[in-house]
Amino acid sequence: MVEELSARKAAAVVREAPKDGLVLAADTVVALEGAVLGKPASPEEAARMLAALSGRTHQVYTGLTLAGPGAVCTEHEVTDGYSARGCPRPLPPPVGGGHRPLCGHR
């Protein structure tokens, strides 16, 4: 899945790149118990996802595609991640605005 997503991203950009240019594209997804967690549609959904990950090991899948003149190489890596339990304090607001922070550690 992440290989295909990164390859699509690279293909979309390489058409606009200089003839001798290189494009590096990546995509990452998180899975918990085999189910891929998509992008949350709201801060509330993001909070539910973070709560589901809390105190549990999950997998982080990252696909990378390097595209250049006449060649494309796509690979992926899987890493186990662990989310600590709890939310001691909110994150500070992001620079330049954005959504209200959900959770953070200092």
Side-chain angles (χ1 to χ4, degrees):
M1 173 186 208
V2 290
E3 286 188 12
E4 181 180 338
L5 293 170
S6 70
R8 285 184 189 177
K9 287 180 177 182
V13 174
V14 79
R15 289 184 287 245
E16 307 296 324
K19 288 174 86 171
D20 60 347
L22 293 174
V23 172
L24 178 63
D27 203 275
T28 299
V29 298
V30 172
L32 179 63
E33 296 180 353
V36 173
L37 303 179
K39 292 186 182 187
S42 67
E44 294 77 23
E45 186 178 357
R48 285 191 297 275
M49 286 181 181
L50 290 173
L53 292 169
S54 180
R56 301 172 77 183
T57 299
H58 57 276
Q59 287 65 50
V60 180
Y61 295 83
T62 300
L64 294 169
T65 298
L66 180 62
V72 176
C73 178
T74 300
E75 299 287 337
H76 77 277
E77 188 65 43
V78 182
T79 305
D80 282 342
Y82 178 79
S83 296
R85 287 195 182 274
C87 180
R89 69 176 69 103
L91 288 169
V95 175
H99 292 289
R100 181 178 60 80
L102 297 171
C103 184
H105 299 272
R106 286 192 185 215

